[in-house]
Amino acid sequence: MKNSIILLSSLFFTFTTMQAQNDRPQPKPGPSPTVNVGKPQKFTLPNGLKVMVVENHKLPRVSFNLSIDNAPFAEGAKKGVDDLTGALIGKGTKTISKEAFNEEVDFMGANINFSSNGGYASGLSKYAGRVLELLGQGALDPNFTQEELDKEKAILIEGIKSGEKSVQNVASRVENVLAFGKKHPSGEFLTEQSINNVTLNDVVQHYNTYFVPENAYLVVIGDVKFEEVKSKVENVFQTWTKASAPNLSYNNPKNVQYTQINFVDMPNAVQSNVSFVNTVSLKMTDKDFFAAILANQIFGGDFNSYLNMNLREKHGWTYGARSSIRGNKYVTKFTASAQVRNAVTDSSVVELLKELKRIRTEKVTDKVLKDVKAAYIGNFVMQIEKPETVARYALQTETQKLPADFYENYIKSINAVTVDEVMAAAKKYFMADNARIVVVGKGSEVVPALEKTKIPMFFFDKYGNQVEKPVTKKADAKVTVQTIVDNYINAIGGIKAVSEVKTVATLAKGSVQGQVLELSMKSSTKGALAVDMNLPAMGMNIMKQRINDKTAYVEQQGQKKVIEGEDYKLIKSQAHPFFELYFIDNPSVTFTGIEKINDVDAYVIKTTKSRLFYDMKTGLKIASENEQKQGEQTMKVMRYFGDYKEVKGVKYPFKINIEAGMPLEFVVSDVKVNEGVTDADFQ
């Protein structure tokens, strides 16, 4: 009762306070906040390195940002040499081992990292001198070794392989290839071959050619004194040999003559990636720069944008839809994108174009523009407090040739933008009549509906090469569920060997974000299943599933969900090492046709909530697709099976890839048949 009284009193107080506020005049908004970025003190070394120092004594910290502003360049057949060079810088120096270097950085509580175009270091100001020395030594005296090169190559190649099944990764690659061209610096992409083409000598030559001081800038921000820093910088960087990088030029890419859909077929895609893209030339010094930035914010730049409110909030087709544009002294691009369900891919394209027409032809309201300005300015003011932001602004002022007071007048420039200027910028930079709508998705489910939009459509492979429209193969009339199952059973060992299997125990290992995952699966022909996924380093079980004659449940993060009714019957029917044996004469199991899975033609069998794919040539099961509920959303989980090996006369997959938000690859270390399984395992 006491709590109720307190609650009612609070509500009454809140109501009367709000009423009183409504009854009296509202205060007028105060003046826009004053922005003081901090004017850097500058000097230039004889080798060309330009140094900017911003003293800030609020905290006993300092940061050093070394950036080399070279013109973009293409790497050709050795695409990856720049990435590999950046990865190897900082792996120790010719006088300090990698281990000793990292230990000293850790001891000071500092942070130092490098890239192919510079480096960054931060730490307590009392260690400023030594942090600067280590930054300089790491950048100017790198120790390139074959051992480290081989490690970094393996990491890059593994990243390429894991990304090949990602719709988003493929979409990003194709989008750049089509927008810029394969020979343009912004259109090139990594391949396993191009990475393997890179030698240690290539890395050394690349470093000597491009890691030079002519276009280099060092921005120092923090609790330091200019004269002291100047002396230390001169001492550390005076040995950097004066040189300039090649200043290559490329033809500016042209947009298409008319808006079109560029479709990439990924038969394994459980959703489509829709991207609207056109190239733009927008410099930060352009008169309409701020109008273009605000037009983008209104169209798709933040949560309340036209695009997100339509595709996410109104229709629930995506978790988020965004657009982006930025100022650059080189040609860049305007993009708008969303990941949507296959069934609404065509509708998403139509709605995207609808919102694009709206921002280009209808004036935004004064209130919307005012709100967008306020949110944008609020974010700008918060960011200005960060040293890395100050460093970026100081660097952009130099490299983009901005007026000295550009950022001091930033808020004023934003507030000066009118509704007419927003619409004019949208018309200029969001090219509704000369853009590509890049769609990456499952052709058999998406293409027929996209064709009904009457938008011209062309087809490309995963590397941006134009191809013919994907054609769905027709199966022979003799193909049935039974023939597919028979071929599968024969492929893995035959019905005699399969019938002798009573239990199967599988142990596999994978990794996620650097953490080792262990996957244990046990199944019985009695219709029982036990699955455990563990993080052994943390002693944590992250997923547990049990199915037996009485019950079924899934336990994740301490939450247990019991599976009952029809769902229990369904999952119970699949709790068998070879549940395909029960497909025959089951009316809910049907053969639906032929589809490609990772460029392999496969027969497709559909069950109540899953689809199974069997290689037409080998008969082996190569993939499965299952529907799973996550809140109000239904998502599809793909599993891929490969590297079949024989155990006691039956073949089992020793490689299992799972795609459910993020790719997981498990390598099977052990398969035990008719041993290591008891009834207690399924409880």
Side-chain angles (χ1 to χ4, degrees):
M1 183 64 184
K2 181 179 179 182
N3 289 338
S4 299
I5 294 172
I6 293 173
L7 177 61
L8 289 171
S9 300
S10 299
L11 288 172
F12 178 76
F13 175 77
T14 301
F15 175 79
T16 53
T17 302
M18 290 173 61
Q19 188 64 42
Q21 289 174 344
N22 290 334
D23 289 342
R24 62 173 180 260
Q26 295 296 308
K28 295 181 179 179
S32 298
T34 302
V35 175
N36 182 14
V37 177
K39 295 293 184 183
Q41 301 178 71
K42 306 176 184 178
F43 64 95
T44 303
L45 270 59
N47 57 20
L49 174 65
K50 302 162 192 65
V51 185
M52 293 171 277
V53 181
V54 178
E55 294 188 29
N56 186 332
H57 303 286
K58 291 181 180 179
L59 295 173
R61 296 192 63 81
V62 62
S63 67
F64 303 92
N65 185 37
L66 176 66
S67 180
I68 304 174
D69 185 40
N70 290 329
F73 53 87
E75 300 168 61
K78 296 192 177 183
K79 174 65 178 175
V81 65
D82 192 62
D83 292 290
L84 290 167
T85 302
L88 293 182
I89 299 174
K91 295 288 194 294
T93 74
K94 293 174 182 176
T95 57
I96 307 174
S97 70
K98 179 176 69 173
E99 292 74 22
F101 188 95
N102 293 336
E103 283 179 8
E104 187 169 3
V105 171
D106 291 342
F107 174 78
M108 294 185 293
N111 175 33
I112 302 180
N113 53 64
F114 300 91
S115 69
S116 61
N117 61 354
Y120 174 82
S122 65
L124 295 172
S125 52
K126 67 178 180 179
Y127 297 126
R130 184 54 181 161
V131 170
L132 180 61
E133 288 176 0
L134 289 174
L135 175 67
Q137 289 179 32
L140 305 185
D141 193 31
N143 185 32
F144 298 130
T145 68
Q146 187 65 46
E147 180 184 5
E148 292 294 339
L149 176 61
D150 291 341
K151 288 180 183 178
E152 295 301 329
K153 277 188 176 183
I155 292 172
L156 275 183
I157 290 172
E158 185 60 32
I160 291 173
K161 289 180 177 179
S162 64
E164 282 307 298
K165 294 174 184 174
S166 166
V167 172
Q168 205 164 4
N169 284 359
V170 170
S172 177
R173 177 172 63 208
V174 174
E175 180 184 299
N176 288 331
V177 168
L178 297 181
F180 296 99
K182 287 184 179 180
K183 295 184 179 180
H184 191 277
S186 297
E188 286 189 314
F189 56 85
L190 291 169
T191 67
E192 185 173 354
Q193 181 63 51
S194 70
I195 293 169
N196 283 327
N197 287 342
V198 178
T199 66
L200 187 63
N201 186 55
D202 292 328
V203 170
V204 173
Q205 288 187 1
H206 187 81
Y207 171 83
N208 291 334
T209 302
Y210 290 99
F211 207 96
V212 291
E214 180 63 29
N215 295 318
Y217 298 83
L218 179 66
V219 182
V220 184
I221 298 176
D223 185 25
V224 293
K225 294 182 179 178
F226 176 75
E227 292 300 331
E228 293 179 1
V229 167
K230 185 174 184 294
S231 175
K232 290 176 181 176
V233 169
E234 289 172 339
N235 183 56
V236 171
F237 287 96
Q238 64 183 347
T239 59
W240 200 358
T241 304
K242 183 175 183 178
S244 58
N247 190 7
L248 305 175
S249 61
Y250 300 85
N251 293 329
N252 286 338
K254 295 182 179 179
N255 288 301
V256 288
Q257 293 181 333
Y258 51 88
T259 292
Q260 57 191 247
I261 294 174
N262 294 164
F263 187 82
V264 179
D265 184 25
M266 285 190 69
N268 62 304
V270 296
Q271 60 182 358
S272 298
N273 193 97
V274 177
S275 301
F276 178 97
V277 57
N278 62 255
T279 58
V280 297
S281 179
L282 174 65
K283 296 178 175 59
M284 296 181 71
T285 52
D286 287 346
K287 184 179 179 181
D288 55 3
F289 168 73
F290 291 101
I293 295 300
L294 289 177
N296 177 70
Q297 288 297 108
I298 295 166
F299 175 67
D302 65 21
F303 186 85
N304 294 313
S305 65
Y306 287 0
L307 200 56
N308 200 56
M309 288 295 103
N310 184 323
L311 299 186
R312 175 192 163 108
E313 296 302 295
K314 180 180 178 180
H315 290 106
W317 292 340
T318 179
Y319 287 112
R322 304 286 292 194
S323 68
S324 67
I325 192 172
R326 62 188 179 91
N328 196 298
K329 58 184 177 180
Y330 305 106
V331 172
T332 181
K333 60 184 180 179
F334 164 72
T335 61
S337 63
Q339 289 186 299
V340 300
R341 302 191 311 277
N342 290 343
V344 296
T345 301
D346 58 317
S347 300
S348 298
V349 169
V350 171
E351 291 300 315
L352 188 155
L353 293 176
K354 171 185 169 183
E355 296 300 345
L356 192 71
K357 179 181 179 181
R358 177 184 174 194
I359 188 72
R360 285 167 48 88
T361 60
E362 297 179 17
K363 290 184 180 180
V364 62
T365 65
D366 290 332
K367 183 181 186 307
V368 168
L369 181 57
K370 180 181 177 181
D371 291 343
V372 168
K373 286 179 178 180
Y376 193 85
I377 290 170
N379 184 63
F380 172 79
V381 171
M382 286 192 295
Q383 295 297 319
I384 204 71
E385 297 296 323
K386 300 177 181 178
E388 56 268 30
T389 302
V390 176
R392 186 171 74 254
Y393 289 169
L395 188 61
Q396 285 180 334
T397 300
E398 293 290 326
T399 60
Q400 305 288 330
K401 308 301 181 188
L402 303 178
D405 59 355
F406 182 85
Y407 287 104
E408 279 74 8
N409 290 328
Y410 202 91
I411 294 177
K412 180 180 177 182
S413 299
I414 287 289
N415 280 326
V417 174
T418 67
V419 294
D420 288 325
E421 289 170 337
V422 166
M423 190 166 72
K427 285 182 178 179
K428 180 178 179 181
Y429 296 108
F430 308 167
M431 300 179 185
D433 299 322
N434 306 96
R436 298 178 185 271
I437 304 168
V438 181
V439 180
V440 181
K442 188 169 185 174
S444 59
E445 295 184 6
V446 171
V447 168
L450 285 174
E451 288 178 326
K452 292 179 181 178
T453 66
K454 303 300 182 183
I455 301 171
M457 182 157 45
F458 302 94
F459 300 89
F460 297 84
D461 65 15
K462 295 192 295 184
Y463 307 100
N465 302 306
Q466 190 162 358
V467 296
E468 296 296 322
K469 175 183 173 181
V471 177
T472 302
K473 288 190 176 183
K474 293 184 178 180
D476 190 291
K478 296 179 181 179
V479 177
T480 64
V481 171
Q482 181 162 350
T483 62
I484 296 170
V485 171
D486 288 344
N487 288 339
Y488 167 63
I489 295 299
N490 289 332
I492 62 175
I495 189 63
K496 183 177 184 301
V498 167
S499 63
E500 292 175 357
V501 176
K502 305 304 178 186
T503 64
V504 178
T506 303
L507 183 64
K509 287 187 178 181
S511 65
V512 58
Q513 297 179 348
Q515 295 286 330
V516 174
L517 278 176
E518 285 185 350
L519 177 64
S520 170
M521 297 180 290
K522 296 181 179 182
S523 59
S524 166
T525 55
K526 294 179 181 179
L529 179 70
V531 180
D532 287 281
M533 194 178 293
N534 302 304
L535 276 172
M538 303 176 65
M540 180 186 300
N541 180 287
I542 59 176
M543 195 277 284
K544 178 180 179 180
Q545 183 179 20
R546 297 291 184 270
I547 303 170
N548 54 50
D549 281 336
K550 296 180 180 179
T551 185
Y553 65 88
V554 177
E555 195 172 297
Q556 288 180 290
Q557 298 179 339
Q559 300 293 318
K560 184 176 181 179
K561 179 183 178 181
V562 177
I563 302 171
E564 299 174 312
E566 291 301 317
D567 288 336
Y568 169 72
K569 291 180 182 179
L570 175 63
I571 199 170
K572 179 75 166 58
S573 69
Q574 297 183 2
H576 188 288
F578 313 103
F579 55 82
E580 284 91 347
L581 293 172
Y582 297 94
F583 283 177
I584 311 304
D585 299 325
N586 186 335
S588 66
V589 178
T590 57
F591 166 55
T592 61
I594 299 171
E595 294 185 23
K596 276 192 178 293
I597 289 290
N598 297 330
D599 297 324
V600 174
D601 289 326
Y603 291 127
V604 184
I605 289 179
K606 185 178 184 300
T607 68
T608 305
K609 288 189 177 181
S610 66
R611 299 198 311 150
L612 305 160
F613 303 84
Y614 300 84
D615 190 322
M616 287 177 60
K617 291 183 178 180
T618 67
L620 295 172
K621 180 164 59 181
I622 57 175
S624 69
E625 177 188 277
N626 296 81
E627 290 186 356
Q628 290 186 2
K629 271 262 191 182
Q630 279 202 343
E632 296 300 315
Q633 296 284 342
T634 299
M635 66 177 294
K636 293 182 179 180
V637 178
M638 291 294 301
R639 293 177 177 84
Y640 301 93
F641 310 103
D643 191 22
Y644 277 81
K645 296 179 182 179
E646 187 177 310
V647 180
K648 292 186 178 181
V650 178
K651 291 180 179 179
Y652 300 89
F654 272 66
K655 186 173 286 187
I656 304 170
N657 289 352
I658 302 174
E659 286 186 11
M662 67 173 66
L664 294 174
E665 180 179 292
F666 288 96
V667 176
V668 175
S669 57
D670 192 20
V671 173
K672 292 182 178 180
V673 177
N674 298 337
E675 59 176 311
V677 178
T678 67
D679 289 343
D681 293 325
F682 306 111
Q683 302 306 310

